[in-house]
Amino acid sequence: MSVTTTIIPVHPTTDENGKRIYQCSMVPKGSGQIHQIQHSLIIPVIFVPGIMGSNLVDNKDKNVWNGDSTASLVWNWRTASAEERKKKLRPDLAKLKESKDLKKDKGWGEPGQSFYLKSLKWLQANLNDYDSYNQKTGERFLMQNGDAQKILSSEYSEIQLEDYFFKYSLDTEDVQHSYNFDFPVYACGYNWLDDNKNSAEFLLKRIQDVLKIEKQNGPTLDKVIIVTHSMGGLVTRYCSEISGGKDKILGVVHGVMPATGAAAAYTRMKTGNPNFNYNPINAITNQVLGSTGTDMSVVMSQAPGSLELLPFKEYGEGTEYKQWLRIRNEQGEINFLPKADPFAEIYTTDEWYGLFEEPMVNPKGIEVEYRTEKIQFLNNMSTVEDFQNLLKNKYHSNSYVFYGKSNDYKAYGYATWDSQQFYRQYWLEKAPTDGVKKVGGAVKQPSKKYDYYKYYEISDPNVEGDGTVPFISGIAPKGKFGVKCIRYLETDHQNAYNVKTSQLFTLWSIVQIVKQVTCQ
């Protein structure tokens, strides 16, 4: 009696040192079952986090910004003074808490684990789910024939879907083809206080190091796939298109990227991080980040990386959001800015709405000359302008993008300063001058009997977004060379990769990216 031969594919796993191992169990004698080692082609995936998402240490390797523990961030930064923030969060004194054994830990200790560990584990599990392949139950199989839409409509009924990518559900052949590859997941943190140009160069070196490691583990495509969150998208675009990394990158998945900047970078420097939804957890988070304009300005003014999130010159191009700063006087007349150049008209201007306010940039207790502070700020803004100009409309030639668009997570499409009532001088001392969303910037108004002052109040977030990046910046890659697909999700900014739809979109994108790779 003949026995039918059944091939049982054996895919690799990795041990604690990053080495690939193959495990299989005994099979009954005469069963016809044969284990077959699968020498899959290795395509590393590198996750690049957003601003404030990487752990930083000082020059003595003492923690400065520890995102591994929410409790640690709250303990160290919730009540930190502006002076303390200025002294510790400096790009020349802080550095990335860099992986000491990339081969073993894959850089997972560089992004704050309280922010990203869950996402990294999900990627690793669902890009290397070989058991699911055998049983046809993995997430990739669930995206065949529109099945993912049915699942999401029941389990995630609160999420409204734009069904662009579901209309292009994965073919069985596409899914099966993607299982010809191993996708070891790495991470690449960076010093988010520093110029993103330097972070891009660090990412390029990380790509080279990862490929060198994986070539020791088996046949490896000499390219990586990059998955980005927020500002990590700007770092990756610069690495790819300016620093010369594109030939080592097979494709990129961007999530909630401020593609042309975000007006929130401006409003936070002026007013801090307000708690618009009056959520207790958000209130604590905002205190950690900096609840006042002074808390934010002392850090951002000396940190090119954060300044590079300011609206680009092309922000809102062709839309009403092009002039994203509006100043309404007491007669209701509005000054729309910028007319042409946000750097000259907004960022570096000496007007009260400019970004350099000496009392906020250099709070009491920091003995630094005003002139030195001003020169440093202007030099940083020159760096920002160069970075943004070079990055304009540049994307890797195989890019997939998702962005947040929800009324539940409104963001600043534009910011409006409204002139409020005049205060007599002795009233002004009690008037709000900084904090949640009011700022002084008062203009002295002489009169016959009193000195009068006025103050301006910034508007609330006003357009759909993710709570940080408005849809107008998120959608900016649409139609640009190299962008293969763009879609929106209803997600907040920080948790974007913990939302099921964004996870599925990321998987879908990676399957699309590897379709071009031929297996030998």
Side-chain angles (χ1 to χ4, degrees):
M1 181 177 178
S2 62
V3 177
T4 302
T5 300
T6 303
I7 301 297
I8 303 176
V10 179
H11 294 274
T13 57
T14 55
D15 64 14
E16 61 180 8
N17 296 313
K19 284 285 189 181
R20 273 172 174 68
I21 56 176
Y22 295 86
Q23 296 177 315
C24 58
S25 57
M26 298 291 290
V27 297
K29 183 178 180 180
S31 67
Q33 295 178 330
I34 299 175
H35 289 95
Q36 186 178 78
I37 300 296
Q38 302 295 301
H39 294 287
S40 303
L41 184 65
I42 300 170
I43 304 178
V45 174
I46 301 178
F47 183 86
V48 185
I51 188 171
M52 296 185 174
S54 301
N55 294 324
L56 304 181
V57 294
D58 62 19
N59 291 328
K60 296 181 179 179
D61 290 331
K62 182 179 179 181
N63 285 334
V64 172
W65 185 266
N66 180 17
D68 289 346
S69 167
T70 302
S72 173
L73 287 176
V74 172
W75 178 262
N76 289 302
W77 293 106
R78 183 182 178 189
T79 59
S81 66
E83 290 86 353
E84 186 178 359
R85 293 170 186 270
K86 183 176 181 67
K87 289 178 179 178
K88 290 184 176 181
L89 295 174
R90 286 175 47 178
D92 57 331
L93 298 183
K95 61 182 180 179
L96 173 69
K97 187 177 182 179
E98 192 173 345
S99 168
K100 297 186 182 301
D101 190 347
L102 185 62
K103 188 174 183 179
K104 183 176 180 180
D105 64 26
K106 293 183 167 53
W108 281 31
E110 294 177 355
Q113 295 196 7
S114 65
F115 305 137
Y116 294 113
L117 183 59
K118 182 179 177 180
S119 303
L120 288 170
K121 286 182 174 180
W122 191 92
L123 275 173
Q124 179 66 38
N126 287 280
L127 285 172
N128 300 282
D129 55 341
Y130 302 115
D131 289 340
S132 298
Y133 171 80
N134 295 333
Q135 300 171 21
K136 304 294 188 288
T137 58
E139 295 278 25
R140 280 175 270 180
F141 282 100
L142 297 177
M143 282 191 285
Q144 294 179 104
N145 304 318
D147 286 345
Q149 190 171 9
K150 297 176 184 177
I151 294 170
L152 292 170
S153 64
S154 59
E155 187 177 354
Y156 299 88
S157 58
E158 76 277 12
I159 300 175
Q160 299 297 315
L161 297 176
E162 177 198 16
D163 63 352
Y164 176 88
F165 79 88
F166 293 110
K167 292 178 181 177
Y168 296 86
S169 298
L170 299 175
D171 295 332
T172 301
E173 292 77 11
D174 297 334
V175 174
Q176 291 178 337
H177 178 71
S178 71
Y179 278 96
N180 288 313
F181 311 104
D182 289 341
F183 298 104
V185 176
Y186 287 77
C188 180
Y190 54 93
N191 183 356
W192 40 268
L193 296 168
D194 198 6
D195 181 7
N196 283 316
K197 172 186 176 181
N198 296 331
S199 299
E201 292 170 354
F202 179 80
L203 174 58
L204 179 58
K205 183 179 184 304
R206 175 57 52 86
I207 292 171
Q208 295 165 345
D209 290 344
V210 165
L211 290 173
K212 183 178 180 180
I213 289 170
E214 289 302 328
K215 286 176 182 177
Q216 298 172 6
N217 293 327
T220 303
L221 187 71
D222 198 29
K223 294 176 184 287
V224 303
I225 295 171
I226 299 183
V227 178
T228 80
H229 178 246
S230 187
M231 191 170 81
L234 304 186
V235 173
T236 299
R237 286 167 57 194
Y238 199 98
C239 173
S240 170
E241 303 306 298
I242 311 300
S243 298
K246 63 183 176 182
D247 291 339
K248 296 296 181 181
I249 300 173
L250 181 63
V252 181
V253 183
H254 290 296
V256 293
M257 173 177 56
T260 55
Y266 169 86
T267 63
R268 288 173 181 176
M269 280 193 75
K270 300 295 287 184
T271 66
N273 286 279
N275 184 24
F276 292 110
N277 296 322
Y278 305 101
N279 181 310
I281 296 178
N282 286 347
I284 294 174
T285 301
N286 292 339
Q287 288 173 345
V288 169
L289 300 179
S291 59
T292 71
T294 301
D295 288 344
M296 294 297 293
S297 288
V298 293
V299 177
M300 292 183 68
S301 64
Q302 64 188 10
S306 60
L307 291 172
E308 283 160 355
L309 294 175
L310 288 164
F312 290 30
K313 292 176 182 177
E314 64 268 25
Y315 177 90
E317 210 159 45
T319 74
E320 62 180 301
Y321 303 103
K322 178 68 174 175
Q323 295 180 312
W324 55 266
L325 185 63
R326 297 150 192 210
I327 303 169
R328 182 184 288 113
N329 64 22
E330 55 272 18
Q331 286 78 40
E333 300 167 336
I334 302 177
N335 182 19
F336 292 87
L337 297 173
K339 310 295 185 189
D341 180 7
F343 286 86
E345 299 171 44
I346 301 174
Y347 306 149
T348 63
T349 181
D350 290 331
E351 295 289 344
W352 63 265
Y353 50 81
L355 287 182
F356 188 86
E357 294 186 69
E358 204 273 340
M360 294 173 68
V361 170
N362 184 19
K364 184 179 179 181
I366 304 295
E367 296 181 0
V368 181
E369 291 183 7
Y370 172 87
R371 182 173 177 274
T372 302
E373 290 280 3
K374 182 74 170 182
I375 290 174
Q376 180 195 46
F377 174 73
L378 292 177
N379 286 340
N380 285 340
M381 291 312 303
S382 177
T383 297
V384 171
E385 187 171 13
D386 290 343
F387 176 86
Q388 293 185 349
N389 287 344
L390 285 171
L391 205 59
K392 181 180 179 180
N393 295 335
K394 290 186 174 68
Y395 299 87
H396 185 270
S397 60
N398 202 12
S399 296
Y400 293 76
V401 181
F402 74 83
Y403 63 97
K405 183 182 178 184
S406 171
N407 273 317
D408 290 335
Y409 304 110
K410 285 190 174 180
Y412 283 104
Y414 58 86
T416 302
W417 289 106
D418 281 308
S419 175
Q420 298 299 315
Q421 69 184 76
F422 290 88
Y423 283 90
R424 297 178 182 180
Q425 188 169 5
Y426 68 89
W427 288 350
L428 182 65
E429 297 173 2
K430 299 178 182 179
T433 57
D434 201 324
V436 177
K437 60 177 179 179
K438 295 184 173 68
V439 67
V443 179
K444 189 175 181 180
Q445 302 290 324
S447 73
K448 294 180 180 180
K449 295 183 178 181
Y450 303 103
D451 284 340
Y452 284 85
Y453 293 77
K454 61 182 177 180
Y455 74 99
Y456 292 86
E457 182 178 15
I458 199 76
S459 61
D460 288 345
N462 42 37
V463 301
E464 293 175 298
D466 61 24
T468 298
V469 179
F471 80 91
I472 195 65
S473 182
I475 201 174
K478 183 177 181 179
K480 301 300 187 296
F481 176 79
V483 178
K484 305 297 186 183
C485 177
I486 183 167
R487 63 154 297 174
Y488 72 84
L489 308 171
E490 292 198 350
T491 177
D492 74 298
H493 190 76
Q494 183 55 49
N495 293 302
Y497 279 98
N498 293 328
V499 176
K500 192 68 173 183
T501 43
S502 65
Q503 293 173 341
L504 289 179
F505 179 80
T506 302
L507 277 181
W508 179 86
S509 299
I510 290 174
V511 173
Q512 299 296 333
I513 289 169
V514 300
K515 283 171 66 174
Q516 64 183 278
V517 181
T518 302
C519 299
Q520 300 297 329

